[in-house]
Amino acid sequence: MLTLRQIEVIRAIIVTGTIGGAARLLNVSSPGISRVMKHTESALGLRLFIRRQGRYIPTPEAKDIFSQINAVYDKVEDLHYVIRRLESGAVSELKIGSVPSIANVMVPRAIKRVREKYPKLLIDVDILKIEEAIDYLLLGKGEVVTISYKLEHPLLTFEPLALGKLYCIVPENHELAQRKRVTAADISKYPLIGIDPEDPYGRIMASIFAKRALSYDVTIRARFGTTVFALVKHGLGIAVLDEFTVADAPYPGVSKIPIAEPTEFQTYFAYRKDATLSSFCEFFVAALRAEMQGKPGQNSSKPPARGRLKPLGRK
């Protein structure tokens, strides 16, 4: 078993590449670092580093160990964050997280309305990968996360935010650019950018292709909408993106086209079941929902509701 001290020392050597550098990083003596490293290698029965030109290089055999050490160290940092948060007490701050598809356009619009109502409020926005959203809430790093799918979790509540649909994105000089709508069969004829069957939006389009027995060729995978737009603009393929990512279109050099097949999806906001949302957060969610539902003036002059937010109907 490795102790936290051994993990700390090994990581310091990885980061600095030398015993002396690790010692300075941890504010201890170099002989102490050497002793811990030698004892650790002896206990594991595995050589962790080789010395090359005065620097300590991780051995190939220890690759999996270093990967796990980095993961443990990240969790320790998360623990320190939670402790510091508890020690500092509550402040007037709105901390929210969002997946990129909602964060790119919709979240800034909602924050503009929050800022108008609360001009002195400190606002902290984190852009999260889908797999990071759960830990973000469980560790108390923010009040709420806007997310593109719902999952079952005993400690979290997911409530509907807004419905959306998908669009086809093509270069403005593409032969599909002047179409009023395109079909899945049309889309499948061209090199695609960013369709990942494991992604919530990509899963929708992939299922449409599968139902129609259409083969498709993904030549470039890109996770974020801004990158996809740039790749399409440079003529490297066409793409399928959600309406919230493309809400500020038209973009120079790129056209968006409705898709004939039904591509509707539901977005959500999530929060801890044992948490009570602040009035700031309630107002933010109401503003975000209104923006995403195309009703930006709705409830703008009303005070934020207290208690649990109820979904608004979509016409």
Side-chain angles (χ1 to χ4, degrees):
M1 294 292 291
L2 291 176
T3 66
L4 288 176
R5 181 58 176 170
Q6 289 172 318
I7 290 173
E8 188 178 39
V9 167
I10 293 171
R11 187 176 184 277
I13 297 173
I14 295 171
V15 170
T16 63
T18 65
I19 296 294
R24 288 190 294 274
L25 183 63
L26 299 178
N27 197 29
V28 296
S29 67
S30 295
I33 293 292
S34 294
R35 283 194 298 271
V36 171
M37 185 187 72
K38 290 176 182 177
H39 175 73
T40 303
E41 289 182 327
S42 176
L44 294 174
L46 179 68
R47 192 174 184 186
L48 300 177
F49 298 94
I50 56 174
R51 191 170 183 180
R52 184 179 299 161
Q53 296 180 347
R55 297 188 65 82
Y56 284 78
I57 310 298
T59 62
E61 308 92 89
K63 179 180 178 182
D64 290 340
I65 292 178
F66 294 142
S67 176
Q68 293 300 316
I69 283 175
N70 282 329
V72 170
Y73 199 85
D74 288 342
K75 291 299 182 183
V76 171
E77 286 292 297
D78 287 339
L79 176 61
H80 288 165
Y81 174 87
V82 172
I83 293 172
R84 289 195 301 270
R85 183 173 180 272
L86 292 173
E87 289 175 343
S88 64
V91 294
S92 295
E93 183 177 11
L94 172 61
K95 303 189 75 171
I96 55 176
S98 177
V99 294
S101 59
I102 301 174
N104 287 340
V105 178
M106 293 298 162
V107 168
R109 289 183 183 180
I111 288 178
K112 181 177 184 293
R113 294 179 60 193
V114 174
R115 171 62 70 227
E116 290 169 352
K117 185 172 181 64
Y118 303 105
K120 295 184 179 180
L121 177 67
L122 177 61
I123 303 173
D124 190 338
V125 183
D126 279 306
I127 312 302
L128 307 171
K129 297 178 182 177
I130 290 176
E131 55 269 24
E132 296 171 335
I134 304 305
D135 282 348
Y136 179 83
L137 291 172
L138 295 181
L139 291 167
K141 291 186 175 182
E143 288 191 71
V144 73
V145 166
T146 64
I147 196 166
S148 52
Y149 77 110
K150 179 182 180 180
L151 56 85
E152 297 300 325
H153 194 285
L155 299 179
L156 301 180
T157 295
F158 287 77
E159 294 195 25
L161 189 57
L163 293 171
K165 58 185 177 181
L166 303 179
Y167 283 84
C168 180
I169 309 301
V170 303
E172 63 181 1
N173 59 353
H174 195 275
E175 57 188 335
L176 294 179
Q178 302 306 315
R179 295 275 193 94
K180 294 191 179 297
R181 68 174 187 170
V182 293
T183 66
D186 295 328
I187 296 171
S188 67
K189 295 175 183 177
Y190 301 92
L192 289 172
I193 297 171
I195 296 286
D196 185 351
E198 299 304 315
D199 178 85
Y201 302 146
R203 194 178 301 126
I204 297 171
M205 206 65 219
S207 68
I208 294 175
F209 288 140
K211 287 177 182 177
R212 289 156 178 75
L214 295 171
S215 61
Y216 60 97
D217 186 17
V218 178
T219 57
I220 302 175
R221 284 188 178 178
R223 186 157 194 166
F224 301 116
T226 50
T227 304
V228 172
F229 266 111
L231 292 168
V232 171
K233 181 178 179 179
H234 284 85
L236 298 173
I238 67 174
V240 174
L241 288 174
D242 64 284
E243 70 170 272
F244 305 119
T245 296
V246 302
D248 275 351
Y251 289 86
V254 177
S255 298
K256 71 172 185 177
I257 313 166
I259 297 173
E261 288 82 1
T263 60
E264 193 171 69
F265 60 87
Q266 178 71 59
T267 59
Y268 299 85
F269 68 97
Y271 56 93
R272 289 180 59 122
K273 288 183 177 179
D274 60 355
T276 300
L277 298 183
S278 68
S279 59
F280 312 122
C281 190
E282 288 181 342
F283 186 86
F284 164 75
V285 172
L288 180 61
R289 180 186 277 129
E291 291 290 345
M292 293 178 70
Q293 292 185 349
K295 306 169 185 176
Q298 186 167 304
N299 290 339
S300 60
S301 61
K302 295 181 181 180
R306 303 304 301 170
R308 189 168 179 170
L309 287 161
K310 296 181 180 179
L312 301 175
R314 183 181 176 92
K315 297 180 181 179

